[in-house]
Amino acid sequence: MNHSKKPATGLALGSGSSRGWAHIGIIQALSEIGIEPDIVCSCSIGSVVGASYLAGNLDPLEQWVCSLTQTELVKFFDTGHAKEYVIIS
């Protein structure tokens, strides 16, 4: 078995606006220490971040996200199903 080949690195990006936006900083931190993923898998807002990263547009996305007001940012939170998860005892 040849062990000289570098193992593949994957990056999984999840959903949820606050977590999704946090992916921007994680990707930047990984890049700073020389970790570049060979594959990126994502869903929901993570897909927006992942696609921006792969297209080389992560910095403009970060600038846009940082320019959002609190009112604009809240619009990204999915509260439509919140009542389905409320437990009434």
Side-chain angles (χ1 to χ4, degrees):
M1 183 182 291
N2 184 357
H3 294 288
S4 62
K5 188 175 179 184
K6 177 187 141 205
T9 303
L11 181 62
L13 306 174
S15 62
S17 288
S18 58
R19 286 187 303 269
W21 300 139
H23 292 323
I24 296 170
I26 297 299
I27 292 170
Q28 291 169 334
L30 290 172
S31 182
E32 287 175 10
I33 60 172
I35 298 175
E36 301 290 334
D38 299 301
I39 186 168
V40 177
C41 299
S42 57
C43 65
S44 193
I45 200 72
S47 295
V48 173
V49 175
S52 294
Y53 167 67
L54 294 173
N57 293 321
L58 197 59
D59 290 337
L61 177 65
E62 179 186 26
Q63 292 171 1
W64 175 74
V65 171
C66 289
S67 75
L68 294 173
T69 65
Q70 283 185 332
T71 303
E72 292 169 326
L73 191 60
V74 167
K75 292 178 183 178
F76 286 95
F77 292 100
D78 180 14
T79 58
H81 301 290
K83 63 183 176 190
E84 294 176 17
Y85 301 104
V86 175
I87 300 172
I88 301 172
S89 56

